[in-house]
Amino acid sequence: MSEYKTGTKCVQAGYTPGNGQPRQIPIIQSTTFRYETGEDMGKLFDLEASGYFYSRLQNPTNDMVAAKIAQLEGGAAAMLTSSGQAANFMALFNICECGSHIVSSSSIYGGTFNLISVTMAKMGVKVTFVSPDCTEEELEEAFQDNTRAVFGESIANPALTVLDIEKFARAAHRHGVPLVVDNTFPTPVNCRPIEWGADIVTHSTTKYMDGHGAAIGGAIVDGGRFDWMAHADKFPGLCTPDESYHGVTYAERFGREGAFITKCTSQLMRDLGCVQAPQNAFYLNLGLESLHVRMPRHVENGQAAAEFLAEHPKVSYVNYPGLPSDRYYEPARKYMPRGGCGVVSFELKGGRRAAETFMTRLKLAAIETHVADARTCCLNPASTTHRQMTEQQLLEAGVPAGLVRMSCGLEDKEDLIADLAQALEAI
Ligand SMILES: *Cc1c(COP(=O)(O)O)cnc(C)c1O
């Protein structure tokens, strides 16, 4: 499949039915799998043979969908998780432990900010946040001897900053650690971070990949290029024997291409159990089949809404990387030349109150804690997803109190703009 273009992979990668087999991927709704002998199964437990034994670790439906996502991202291996939160946590915790440190862009999703700065801190993992616009020198200063990963979002939710992936990858690699990029917003249809030097890519598949607001899910993709053994002192979990798996050393046994996902599956998924239900993987795959057709429409609607809002007297500014006036127009053109996504954010003159009035008056756009599905929706992040942040943290994350995040769906853009116009009128 790797020789095909993205659209073809969206439709067909991950599963090729044999003669007389179901055309659509089968939902293997089974917790467990049968073996003839205990010895057969023992080999699976020892990771000496590959196969299924318990759906907490691996399930064929999930694996087919993960394989499709791996191919879309140009990665070597992938796994599904129960949510985007689980994907980011497991991707980072697979290489960090108590005493480790992460360098992260400050412009990230509120849930991930909380995960890294509060919950992982309780586990003894520290973080230094850097502005995505920092200079190479500033980025350099954020590193410590115990830094184990660099993290950022290709397009940040909700600030819509575009990560300079090459800059972050260079810094990470100078320090012998991988770059982890959350690529939820552009999806591999519009941006493939691994091609720009990222090592691990994560997704909240809940968003555009599913695309219909049907199922929470996540994915982790390994580019398969990071040389763990060359930095063995930093990554004992990958480069020294895992006693909980009969002494297997993942980086030796599975090499660059397999070590990360194998460890994450057989150790972290085994112990944490944040699995995606096969039924949800099936819904996710339905979404993936049309991802390449839907993304251009989301971009078209986002662009139209952004252009309309940018001209409106009641709007103080618009963030949308597709606007030539946007701070991230150039990096967006470089990293995602076909456009980014359908999410637009803007600040209304009149702050939080104006945002409230505007959102209540919208007819097509529902108020939802969600983005990136077929139906247009909107949200005031400061009073919802980001409400745990202080005013200062909100500013650093690029989310002032009067900001509205609007996710343009797949409706007709003329109708969306008429809706925006009448709601702005009401302020
Ligand atoms: C939504 C989102 C997440 C969290 O994903 P869930 O599936 O809601 O757990 C992580 N990163 C980004 C960029 C998101 O938009």
Side-chain angles (χ1 to χ4, degrees):
M1 264 287 145
S2 58
E3 70 278 22
Y4 290 109
K5 288 175 179 300
T6 301
T8 305
K9 289 180 189 167
C10 279
V11 182
Q12 300 223 6
Y15 171 60
T16 309
N19 199 29
Q21 287 185 342
R23 186 69 183 96
Q24 180 54 284
I25 62 166
I27 303 170
I28 307 296
Q29 192 69 42
S30 183
T31 56
T32 191
F33 301 82
R34 174 185 174 268
Y35 286 92
E36 301 277 328
T37 69
E39 203 191 324
D40 285 347
M41 203 153 107
K43 286 192 182 131
L44 302 178
F45 272 90
D46 283 354
L47 300 176
E48 273 167 18
S50 64
Y52 298 95
F53 54 97
Y54 193 54
S55 284
R56 169 150 43 78
L57 284 102
Q58 277 186 296
N59 171 282
T61 309
N62 290 20
D63 280 0
M64 291 175 219
V65 181
K68 176 180 282 188
I69 296 173
Q71 292 195 36
L72 285 171
E73 287 287 2
M79 66 194 280
L80 300 186
T81 59
S82 54
S83 67
Q85 286 299 110
N88 280 325
F89 173 64
M90 289 177 64
L92 291 169
F93 204 64
N94 205 33
I95 41 181
C96 295
E97 57 189 30
C98 183
S100 304
H101 172 258
I102 295 168
V103 172
S104 172
S105 163
S106 60
S107 184
I108 54 174
Y109 176 65
T112 312
F113 184 89
N114 211 47
L115 166 71
I116 299 178
S117 64
V118 180
T119 299
M120 290 185 74
K122 290 180 187 158
M123 300 170 167
V125 178
K126 297 268 159 55
V127 59
T128 300
F129 287 109
V130 293
S131 160
D133 310 324
C134 65
T135 62
E136 302 241 1
E137 292 71 39
E138 285 162 344
L139 187 49
E140 198 63 27
E141 280 167 22
F143 283 82
Q144 303 178 1
D145 290 342
N146 56 344
T147 302
R148 295 292 176 266
V150 178
F151 181 83
E153 293 177 5
S154 48
I155 301 182
N157 175 8
L160 302 173
T161 51
V162 174
L163 192 74
D164 186 344
I165 303 172
E166 285 187 318
K167 177 177 78 181
F168 277 73
R170 270 197 305 275
H173 297 158
R174 268 199 300 277
H175 292 270
V177 302
L179 171 63
V180 181
V181 174
D182 181 332
N183 195 34
T184 297
F185 266 22
T187 82
V189 168
N190 284 342
C191 176
R192 283 184 294 281
I194 291 167
E195 290 175 3
W196 299 100
D199 301 286
I200 314 289
V201 168
T202 59
H203 280 279
S204 166
T205 62
T206 316
K207 311 293 166 52
Y208 289 114
M209 281 190 166
D210 166 317
H212 300 79
I216 302 276
I220 306 172
V221 183
D222 176 18
R225 284 192 309 232
F226 193 85
D227 189 353
W228 307 105
M229 278 316 232
H231 308 282
D233 54 320
K234 288 187 161 69
F235 304 104
L238 283 154
C239 303
T240 58
D242 177 358
E243 294 316 327
S244 75
Y245 251 116
H246 308 282
V248 57
T249 299
Y250 296 101
E252 263 171 13
R253 175 90 72 85
F254 301 101
R256 289 188 201 187
E257 302 210 327
F260 188 87
I261 293 293
T262 305
K263 172 176 180 289
C264 205
T265 302
S266 55
Q267 190 189 70
L268 290 188
M269 197 56 105
R270 177 196 63 188
D271 296 353
L272 301 172
C274 333
V275 289
Q276 186 163 140
Q279 182 80 39
N280 282 0
F282 177 84
Y283 294 137
L284 167 57
N285 188 57
L286 286 183
L288 290 170
E289 286 183 6
S290 63
L291 186 65
H292 59 301
V293 181
R294 292 183 289 108
M295 286 311 289
R297 179 64 170 256
H298 283 293
V299 168
E300 183 188 332
N301 285 355
Q303 184 75 31
E307 286 171 8
F308 170 77
L309 289 163
E311 293 295 311
H312 201 283
K314 289 184 180 168
V315 175
S316 49
Y317 68 85
V318 178
N319 295 319
Y320 189 70
L323 290 179
S325 58
D326 192 87
R327 169 158 200 183
Y328 299 98
Y329 183 69
E330 285 305 329
R333 275 189 7 150
K334 170 175 170 183
Y335 292 112
M336 43 202 83
R338 288 171 302 278
C341 63
V343 182
V344 180
S345 67
F346 50 98
E347 191 179 30
L348 290 169
K349 293 178 183 162
R352 214 181 279 243
R353 292 256 321 260
E356 192 55 45
T357 311
F358 167 76
M359 293 199 309
T360 316
R361 291 296 287 262
L362 286 168
K363 292 183 182 128
L364 285 174
I367 301 175
E368 288 172 27
T369 317
H370 186 51
V371 286
D373 79 46
R375 292 157 297 262
T376 296
C377 60
C378 64
L379 186 83
N380 176 225
S383 55
T384 51
T385 47
H386 285 57
R387 66 184 301 144
Q388 77 283 1
M389 289 192 180
T390 64
E391 293 290 319
Q392 184 59 31
Q393 285 172 332
L394 283 172
L395 282 180
E396 277 166 20
V399 193
L403 194 81
V404 174
R405 177 183 72 187
M406 194 167 107
S407 168
C408 297
L410 300 174
E411 301 91 343
D412 285 300
K413 63 187 173 197
E414 294 79 6
D415 290 334
L416 288 181
I417 286 169
D419 194 25
L420 290 177
Q422 65 81 26
L424 284 164
E425 200 63 32
I427 301 173

